[in-house]
Amino acid sequence: MRRTQRFGRAVAFPLFFLGLLVAWELSITVFKIPRYILPRPTEVAVAARADVPLLLRYTVVTGTETVLGYAVALVVALPLGLAIAFSGLLRRTVYPTLVSLEMVPKIAFAPIFISWLGFGLLPKVIIVFLVCFFPIVLNAVAGFVSLSEELTRFTRATGAGTWRAFFKIRLPAALPQCFVGFKYAAMNASVGATIAEFIGSDQGLGFYIQISTGNMRPDLAFAAIFLLALLGLGMFGLVTLAERLLIPWDISQRRIRGKN
Amino acid sequence: MPHIDIRNVVKRFDTADGPVHAFGPATIAVERGEFVSLVGPSGCGKSTLLLMIAGLLAPSDGSISVDGRIVAGTRTDVGIMFQDNTLVPWRSVRRNIELQLELRGMDPRGSRARIDTLLETVGLHDFANRAPFELSGGMQQRAAFCQAMVHEPDTVLLDEPLGKLDAMTREKIRADLQRLWLQTRTTVLLVTHSIEEAVQLSSKVCIITPRPGRLDGVIDINLPWPRDITVKRSPEFAAYVSEIGDVFHRYGEI
């Protein structure tokens, strides 16, 4: 009984997803939708197979932009978030500046960066960086300033020095909130790369989608969209894996709290 | 000379609407090894007094001294416990108790036996390797007691540690707390709004008036230890409870 239940839970999502694809396939026949408007999933698969080398090369291009932008954002935003959380001066100057900049759609900068820096890798990395930077920094600040009054007092009463208090209390306590930012950024990183490619590029999956759509080949565009989805999923999966390794306790705690 | 000497202590907080009188004045002398309760209604500033004794807040007027030395800064020789406990979710019960030692730069390996004894006393030895969030609220507070006691503090400060528990659990943990105190005879200050709790556990009860809390009086509780259910049913126990209750009745609190 339990085994069949577990099996049922495990296959529920793949079956549902497969059902959606079948519904898509059938609705094209039923509603007689022409191929240049919306291709069938099977047509997308066939078209993609014919263009595998280019699609893979472009996946690597867009993937590189995404991963680099994300990594740089992580390396810059996390220490900055820490600095803001622990410095009253930065919290009164840099922090409100960042919060106001957060309101600006980062993509709006893309044409400017491309006009400055050309069609290459760098402007895309910068756009991805901008998209990822804000959620990471803001969530890191939130995580590091939200230590409970009780834990703050408890730590003070032990006489622990700054570093010991940081590594034993403050850092682990802040990590769950930090990961909210890491995950949000991971979901949006490839969005930044794709849009930057739309605006000005000569390679990458975003570029490929634009060209295919212009050539009335939505089947190829959908193939690229599928690869972008995989890229986003991969990024998210990696961050989730890191979360599982670094703060397994938070995940078990959420599971128990969720049940109550 | 009293162990903890609280003299004319007043606390005011500066707010946007000017200074707010939060507590005092109060003068209390606590002898070494006593179990002293501070009883008063919510918002009377009794927790503020506890924080001042810990050196986590400075009095606006008056002074607090420990063994003759004025408290000027955070004391590190106390064990503190709050209504919301300070167990961290990334450590097991045992490792949470060790956290108290690690933060003090002590090697927890030297205290294994002591931690085992503490866990045994509060009935948590089978749960040493569980995460706090896997435990009931009452068990968490028991673990927090061990965390507050493991470094053999000079004074234990308890800020409504049973406030969020149900009546039955509270009853059980009071017994644990009493056993722990009778074993160690550490000086304990307990903030509570339960008169019964104060009478059962304390050698001395300080009555704090409604806001801003002043000391109304100190009552010595002369009942035999341990104070189990038979003591609680005695007329002497009831007399103490109604004596203190009458004071709050006078203030219109109950």
Side-chain angles (χ1 to χ4, degrees), chain A residues 34-48:
Chain A
R35 180 190 223 170
Y36 61 86
I37 302 277
L38 185 66
R40 298 159 189 277
T42 46
E43 284 167 353
V44 172
V46 170

Side-chain angles (χ1 to χ4, degrees), chain B residues 80-128:
Chain B
I80 307 187
M81 202 184 139
F82 305 97
Q83 192 170 354
D84 291 308
N85 65 58
T86 51
L87 303 173
V88 296
W90 58 88
R91 282 171 172 246
S92 67
V93 167
R94 177 183 292 281
R95 301 256 301 126
N96 257 294
I97 300 169
E98 290 175 353
L99 181 62
Q100 173 81 262
L101 304 169
E102 288 176 30
L103 283 168
R104 291 166 185 275
M106 293 156 72
D107 187 351
R109 277 173 299 185
S111 304
R112 266 203 90 84
R114 178 167 167 76
I115 294 173
D116 284 331
T117 315
L118 278 170
L119 286 169
E120 194 86 36
T121 311
V122 299
L124 274 183
H125 43 284
D126 290 336
F127 296 87

Side-chain angles (χ1 to χ4, degrees), chain A residues 1 12 44 57 77 93 104 113 119 146 157 164 175 182 210 219 232:
Chain A
M1 183 62 201
V44 172
R57 198 162 70 76
T93 54
V104 181
F113 287 132
F119 287 128
S146 63
R164 193 177 281 150
L175 278 180
F182 298 166
Q210 271 203 322
D219 48 347

Side-chain angles (χ1 to χ4, degrees), chain A residues 70-82 129 133 136-137:
Chain A
Y70 186 83
V72 177
L74 203 64
V75 168
V76 175
L78 202 55
L80 183 63
L82 245 171
F129 166 82
F133 172 78
I136 297 180
V137 109

